[in-house]
Amino acid sequence: MRKLLNTVYVTSQDSYLSLDGENLVILRGDIEAARIPLHNLESIIAFGYTGASPALMGACAKRNISLSFMTQSGKFLSRVVGEVKGNVTLRKAQYRLSESDEDSTKIARNFIFGKIYNARWVIERATRDYSERLDVDKLKKVSAGLANALGFVLGSENLEELRGFEGEAATQYFSIFDDLILQQKQDFFFRGRNKRPPLDNVNAMLSFVYTLLAHDVAAALETVGLDPYVGFMHKDRPGRISLALDLMEELRCIFADRFVISLINKRMVNSSGFTQKEDGAVIMDDDTRKTILQSWQSRKQEKITHPFLQEKLEWGLVPYAQAMLLARFIRGDLEEYPPFLWK
């Protein structure tokens, strides 16, 4: 299994990223703020309007180091991509499958099965761990509804039908999301998903972390030779990493949602780190963003046993493992794509 390397998060807007030999150099004005060997890096994510030298961009592309630029709030701006890696036959097979509604539905079914399965076990784990603090009957009812949805997903005959079942399941899951927030309820509450822009503290955190997860999944897909822009459920749209959005569906609730809830319940974030603008949009301050990024990096280093591969690996390698399994399926080495099923 591939080794998990470091991700560098650059949050200072006055930083400039440059190359010196085999090192990433972060400059703030004329002062060198950090120097990191490229061979230790897996990806670089810069927030704000940080500049980067063409030499560094070329070095990252050559070494398959993902270099992405985001706004301060975490909205994706651009990614540096080098020459296409991997077997051209694999990508041609991916494109053929994406053009077929039947084949796309077959693959998308497994993405959504994994998403709903994992959402159900997030609820089941909560009822087990916090039974005295939760309305267990309420959560068990939603869990049963998600269990029923799994059968409907497997019976879906087309993408439109599948999207309908996925939407219904998401509505059920988010109906109890606020119940899982056990601390700081006055400042951190969930009344529904909103994202353009996020209108409360929880949605601001979710949107930010989903962006981080999408970056990791897109980088993993490129590493195994797949095109992150050509999906099966999320269809082609200029500039959208459709396949990354497909693959991250099964990871949202277990990787991103649980992470956000944990930050709130452990009081690692607080309301002073959030500001509501005149248009209602909620934004995070630099300190809160840094806390989330540091915790995200630590979370990625925690180890689990992969349910399909039966190998111990870091959470941060799960997107790579799933991308590898998807590539194996597309090549014809597996009969179907095995989603990541967590308990």
Side-chain angles (χ1 to χ4, degrees):
M1 179 60 68
R2 178 169 169 264
K3 183 180 179 182
L4 180 66
L5 298 176
N6 296 315
T7 298
V8 172
Y9 301 100
V10 183
T11 59
S12 300
Q13 294 198 59
D14 59 348
S15 296
Y16 184 77
L17 310 182
S18 64
L19 181 71
D20 183 12
E22 292 294 309
N23 299 289
L24 161 67
V25 177
I26 303 175
L27 299 172
R28 300 188 67 178
D30 296 328
I31 300 174
E32 181 177 310
R35 175 180 291 260
I36 306 166
L38 289 177
H39 69 262
N40 288 335
L41 297 181
E42 182 170 294
S43 62
I44 304 166
I45 305 179
F47 294 90
Y49 296 94
T50 304
S53 71
L56 176 67
M57 293 182 189
C60 289
K62 181 179 179 181
R63 292 163 179 77
N64 201 31
I65 298 172
S66 178
L67 174 57
S68 296
F69 297 92
M70 315 281 187
T71 66
Q72 283 290 98
S73 61
K75 182 180 179 181
F76 174 81
L77 291 173
S78 64
R79 300 174 67 239
V80 173
V81 179
E83 62 178 291
V84 174
K85 305 289 184 182
N87 189 336
V88 66
T89 305
L90 173 63
R91 289 205 174 196
K92 289 177 72 174
Q94 175 190 354
Y95 300 151
R96 284 196 298 270
L97 291 172
S98 72
E99 291 295 320
S100 165
D101 285 343
E102 181 179 350
D103 290 327
S104 292
T105 301
K106 179 181 178 181
I107 299 170
R109 271 200 304 254
N110 286 14
F111 293 144
I112 300 307
F113 183 93
K115 176 180 183 176
I116 297 174
Y117 179 98
N118 290 332
R120 178 171 181 254
W121 280 103
V122 166
I123 297 170
E124 289 291 329
R125 179 76 71 93
T127 60
R128 184 196 71 185
D129 294 344
Y130 304 103
S131 59
E132 296 181 358
R133 304 180 64 182
L134 294 170
D135 184 341
V136 173
D137 289 340
K138 177 183 177 182
L139 268 65
K140 286 286 187 180
K141 183 177 180 180
V142 173
S143 176
L146 295 178
N148 289 333
L150 294 174
F152 292 122
V153 166
L154 291 178
S156 299
E157 297 183 352
N158 55 63
L159 289 173
E160 183 178 357
E161 194 174 69
L162 180 61
R163 291 189 185 102
F165 293 135
E166 186 272 335
E168 291 173 7
T171 298
Q172 291 186 67
Y173 168 69
F174 279 128
S175 72
I176 54 83
F177 194 85
D178 188 66
D179 297 65
L180 304 180
I181 300 171
L182 303 176
Q183 301 289 341
Q184 308 183 84
K185 296 287 288 186
Q186 183 173 348
D187 300 312
F188 292 91
F189 49 83
F190 185 85
R191 302 292 183 264
R193 183 76 178 109
N194 50 72
K195 48 191 173 180
R196 295 188 184 91
L199 302 176
D200 56 65
N201 298 348
V202 175
N203 273 292
M205 294 175 69
L206 286 174
S207 292
F208 186 70
V209 174
Y210 286 164
T211 301
L212 298 178
L213 180 57
H215 164 88
D216 291 347
V217 173
L221 289 166
E222 286 184 339
T223 299
V224 303
L226 291 169
D227 187 338
Y229 291 88
V230 178
F232 301 106
M233 183 165 178
H234 292 84
K235 287 302 185 179
D236 300 349
R237 182 185 298 172
R240 183 170 74 174
I241 46 176
S242 296
L243 185 58
L245 297 177
D246 282 352
L247 191 60
M248 71 180 278
E249 288 289 2
E250 64 201 64
L251 302 177
R252 282 180 188 266
C253 54
I254 54 171
F255 205 162
D257 295 357
R258 291 182 73 240
F259 172 73
V260 167
I261 291 169
S262 177
L263 290 177
I264 297 169
N265 288 342
K266 291 181 178 179
R267 298 181 179 273
M268 298 176 70
V269 295
N270 58 66
S271 61
S272 64
F274 297 82
T275 303
Q276 189 165 44
K277 299 169 67 177
E278 291 183 1
D279 63 356
V282 172
I283 59 174
M284 297 180 286
D285 64 18
D286 286 344
D287 288 341
T288 299
R289 194 177 298 110
K290 288 176 182 177
T291 295
I292 293 174
L293 292 172
Q294 290 169 356
S295 300
W296 180 253
Q297 192 68 1
S298 297
R299 171 76 161 131
K300 288 167 64 174
Q301 293 168 354
E302 296 176 7
K303 289 200 171 184
I304 59 160
T305 298
H306 192 283
F308 181 81
L309 298 173
Q310 289 301 303
E311 291 184 29
K312 279 196 173 295
L313 72 162
E314 294 94 341
W315 262 112
L317 285 179
V318 170
Y320 171 77
Q322 295 308 117
M324 180 182 66
L325 291 170
L326 180 59
R328 287 181 183 177
F329 164 73
I330 291 174
R331 287 194 197 98
D333 298 333
L334 294 172
E335 290 187 5
E336 61 179 323
Y337 165 72
F340 185 88
L341 303 179
W342 175 86
K343 279 192 178 182

